[in-house]
Amino acid sequence: MCAVRGFLLHLKATGRAPSTMECYLRELNFVVKILGDMPLNHITVQHLEQALLLRGGAGFPTTTLSPLTMNRIKSAYRSFFRWTWETGRTVSNPGACLRMGKTKPRFTQPISQEEVKRLLETIASSGDPHAGRDMALFSVYAFSGIRRAEALALRVVDYCPDLRALNICRAKGGQIRIQPVPARLAKILEQYIARLYFRHRLSEITPLFPGRYPDRPLSARQANERFEKWKSLANIRDRITIHSFRAGFATALYRTTRDLLVVARALGHKDVRTTEKYISTDIAGIRKSIEGAFPE
């Protein structure tokens, strides 16, 4: 379906993450497979609900999808048909009738500050040829809280030492934002970038975290492989992932500020309800606050 190709081009132009585009393509291809060559204007909400039932398991008894996954599929349908309607490809938007299911926020297990310290010390003392890059990369995750894709998309010029901040050009939703960084991360980045300048001829598009080739950024798969290596060597919990850095950052910041709005802004969230799933329950902190509010 040529409309799907046009939609993907639209997503790319608006800066959507490759993982999002891949997810949308997979779900839209499934609809095409189910509905065949049916014209776009003939597709109704009932057709989309039929595709959802088949995708969700009614047609494939061995497949069971979680409510979160079903919502992601609905989101793909809704986004695509909103685009076809807004661009005049269809006279109506059948996706608008799809209702998102209620789900509980999925809590992200945070990495502790002790685990961060152990991980970075393991990298620093390893003698690995890529230790400097990995030290800088995982420090960015731990002390800035930015997303995995945002960090991997950084260029050398995206760090501003005068402002002590990162320029996030590939933020979620295609937005651009400035992320302040603490002094400890600034020091790591400045030393790392100085070594890059010494070893390579850099340009405005040189990735901050190169992979096999200096002009190409580390891929998500490569970053995950490096993390799994260091996690094993540092004896970090198995359930900790790269995304746990973001939750660990949020938890540490909240324990310091007790201000959910500050944490939301630091994470780039528009809705503080999204922030809540990144913050671990701090019973001791809650008890201290209650005692302070109601002293004897």
Side-chain angles (χ1 to χ4, degrees), residues 40-62:
L40 277 176
N41 271 315
H42 292 183
I43 296 176
T44 65
V45 65
Q46 286 76 23
H47 291 119
L48 298 181
E49 289 171 343
Q50 176 191 8
L52 277 169
L53 289 174
L54 292 172
R55 182 70 174 84
F60 305 96
T62 58

Side-chain angles (χ1 to χ4, degrees), residues 62-81:
T62 58
T63 303
T64 302
L65 300 180
S66 70
L68 282 171
T69 301
M70 290 295 283
N71 277 349
R72 282 198 292 270
I73 297 170
K74 289 179 183 179
S75 179
Y77 295 173
R78 285 160 59 101
S79 295
F80 174 71
F81 282 100

